[in-house]
Amino acid sequence: MDNARLKKYAELLVRSGGNVQKGQVVVIGCSVDDAYFGRLVQECAYDAGASEVVMDWGDEASARAKFLRADDGIFDDFPQWKVDWYKHYDDKGAVYLRVSSTDPDYLAGVDPNRLRRFSKASGIATKAHSAIMMSNTNRWSVCAIPSPAWAKKVFPNVSEEEAMEKLWAAILKGARADGDNPQTDWEKHKDNFTDRVEYLNKMNFDSLRITTGLGTDITLGLVKNHVWVGGGDTGKDGVPFFPNLPTEEIFTMPDRTRANGRVVASMPLSRMGNLIEGFEMTFKDGLVDSFKAEKNEQALADMLGMDEGAKRLGEVALVTNSSPIGQMGVLFYNTLFDENASAHLALGKAYPNNMKGGDDMTTEKLVEAGGNDSLIHVDFMFGTADMKVIGIGADGTETVFFDNGEFI
């Protein structure tokens, strides 16, 4: 990938994604294997006026070695210094940027009990930081770049070099970063969401009934005063930003007690380095009543067992089948991209800004109003080319507004 294209992509993450302002602190999460790109993002952040750019390096190989070889007792602990580290930068109003290049299978073969315990310990310890991120108190944005292992997973029948080239091309196209001016293209993309978001908020449906040819047939109650959001977000400081590069979704908050029916996943879910495949769940009064998976069912069970809220829904998102990512016909094995190819639901914590006044509510008040709380927020894809959505009003009136995978 040529340097000019890489720099435009890095600038997109900094200036459109996180929308870094002069004098702000920026924290960049990046793998040591991707240091070349992380440093480029760092330079772009300083060019945008950042007062300090902090690099938060990660290493999947080291993480795998730890899960395989460390003493068993350490997985119930999360270091206090890291909790304090997050609080330090949260309090400074830092913008968090993340560069993702995860190998979907990097934790394959690891004891699932260790993964579950570590995930729970880290989730409890960083709950305050997660709440800050989900309420947009601090702006944040995530982009992806290829790694050899990820590229070969997506394109297994070509050489590693060709797989990397193909995945780079797919990522830039999906992230609308392959044009001459990606930042301008993203502003136009944001405008395209306006009519649909306004329509859904005006209709103020009480519930949605969603069906697909794979067997999904579920009715989702929506919280009162729910808000549909799409095409970017706005921080509590009033500065607009794009949390995900790419984004094709319009989403809102389901009522945590009013999901009833069956959901069949249309894509695998990459969770803690394991792929959960061929899975489905049934819901009764908002709670997962039963589930099964063809592969890595225990990983699904561990995720659902994280806490009570992990068995309930925090998000419903609509994505058209004609989205650029959906039209590629590529299974990315990466939620950042696959969730923008398909309609999806999220188990776990709800985004407060999907309810009027939600950003100013305590967690307890949000839950009382029907929003979900959990240590996790995990998107899984269920949308298909034949998906149909019926909006049901408080008076029982039904309106078909999404059919054959598209808004009508």
Side-chain angles (χ1 to χ4, degrees):
M1 182 59 57
D2 65 89
N3 285 335
R5 180 66 64 194
L6 284 177
K7 185 165 185 180
K8 284 185 178 181
Y9 191 37
E11 287 177 336
L12 181 68
L13 177 64
V14 169
R15 295 182 181 271
S16 295
N19 199 356
V20 174
Q21 303 292 295
K22 185 174 178 60
Q24 285 196 296
V25 174
V26 176
V27 176
I28 300 173
C30 184
S31 168
V32 293
D33 295 328
D34 305 320
Y36 71 98
F37 189 74
R39 293 181 187 126
L40 187 57
V41 175
Q42 183 184 41
E43 292 174 9
C44 291
Y46 277 125
D47 290 344
S51 60
E52 180 187 13
V53 182
V54 180
M55 302 304 299
D56 184 18
W57 298 110
D59 181 11
E60 287 183 352
S62 295
R64 179 175 175 81
K66 175 179 176 179
F67 279 110
L68 288 173
R69 299 173 182 272
D71 288 345
D72 189 64
I74 72 165
F75 297 104
D76 297 308
D77 181 51
F78 189 85
Q80 184 60 41
W81 71 262
K82 190 68 174 180
V83 177
D84 297 338
W85 186 90
Y86 279 124
K87 186 176 188 310
H88 175 77
Y89 289 111
D90 291 346
D91 290 348
K92 284 180 173 288
V95 178
Y96 290 87
L97 305 177
R98 183 161 66 87
V99 179
S100 172
S101 61
T102 300
D103 172 5
D105 298 314
Y106 88 100
L107 291 178
V110 168
D111 181 354
N113 186 49
R114 289 188 165 199
L115 294 173
R116 178 188 60 78
R117 287 159 53 205
F118 174 78
S119 179
K120 187 168 186 176
S122 60
I124 292 171
T126 61
K127 189 170 184 178
H129 170 70
S130 297
I132 284 172
M133 295 296 97
M134 294 190 75
S135 66
N136 296 337
T137 301
N138 292 53
R139 298 192 305 283
W140 55 279
S141 188
V142 184
C143 79
I145 67 171
S147 66
W150 181 21
K152 283 293 289 179
K153 181 75 175 181
V154 178
F155 300 107
N157 299 320
V158 299
S159 68
E160 183 178 289
E161 181 180 3
E162 186 177 351
M164 285 288 286
E165 290 177 357
K166 289 171 73 71
L167 187 52
W168 257 124
I171 285 172
L172 292 180
K173 181 178 180 180
R176 299 175 185 263
D178 56 346
D180 292 334
N181 195 330
Q183 293 177 58
T184 300
D185 292 341
W186 268 81
E187 286 304 313
K188 293 177 181 177
H189 180 43
K190 181 178 180 179
D191 292 341
N192 291 334
F193 286 89
T194 302
D195 288 346
R196 290 170 179 171
V197 169
E198 288 182 351
Y199 168 79
L200 289 169
N201 283 324
K202 179 181 177 180
M203 293 301 291
N204 191 30
F205 293 120
D206 175 73
S207 59
L208 307 176
R209 184 182 178 195
I210 306 174
T211 55
T212 73
L214 285 179
T216 291
D217 188 345
I218 190 167
T219 299
L220 302 175
L222 304 179
V223 295
K224 291 182 180 179
N225 298 316
H226 65 271
V227 177
W228 289 88
V229 176
D233 221 321
T234 303
K236 280 196 170 182
D237 57 2
V239 177
F241 70 108
F242 292 100
N244 293 328
L245 305 177
T247 188
E248 302 289 336
E249 63 179 321
I250 297 174
F251 61 98
T252 195
M253 187 187 301
D255 188 313
R256 67 191 299 275
T257 66
R258 294 201 296 138
N260 289 282
R262 178 187 183 213
V263 180
V264 180
S266 56
M267 295 182 182
L269 170 63
S270 180
R271 173 68 178 165
M272 296 291 292
N274 289 288
L275 278 176
I276 304 169
E277 300 183 48
F279 65 98
E280 63 178 73
M281 289 170 273
T282 59
F283 290 81
K284 183 177 181 180
D285 297 330
L287 197 66
V288 173
D289 187 51
S290 64
F291 63 91
K292 61 182 179 180
E294 294 174 2
K295 183 178 178 181
N296 281 323
E297 185 174 284
Q298 186 58 50
L300 178 59
D302 289 342
M303 181 178 71
L304 292 170
M306 189 65 63
D307 54 30
E308 198 269 346
K311 301 180 185 69
R312 298 183 183 274
L313 296 173
E315 176 189 335
V316 54
L318 302 178
V319 179
T320 63
N321 189 58
S322 60
S323 76
I325 300 171
Q327 288 300 297
M328 283 187 226
V330 174
L331 178 59
F332 285 88
Y333 301 98
N334 181 294
T335 301
L336 178 63
F337 277 78
D338 289 335
E339 73 171 2
N340 287 294
S342 168
H344 53 275
L345 297 167
L347 291 160
K349 189 172 180 65
Y351 286 103
N353 67 335
N354 280 139
M355 182 189 292
K356 291 177 183 177
D359 283 336
D360 299 319
M361 291 182 182
T362 64
T363 299
E364 292 74 20
K365 288 293 185 183
L366 194 72
V367 170
E368 285 179 16
N372 196 33
D373 184 47
S374 174
L375 296 175
I376 69 168
H377 177 95
V378 179
D379 296 301
F380 68 94
M381 283 57 73
F382 73 94
T384 61
D386 62 359
M387 190 178 86
K388 181 177 182 178
V389 185
I390 301 172
I392 304 172
D395 62 355
T397 303
E398 296 188 357
T399 304
V400 180
F401 67 90
F402 196 101
D403 200 9
N404 291 317
E406 302 290 333
F407 281 96
I408 296 175

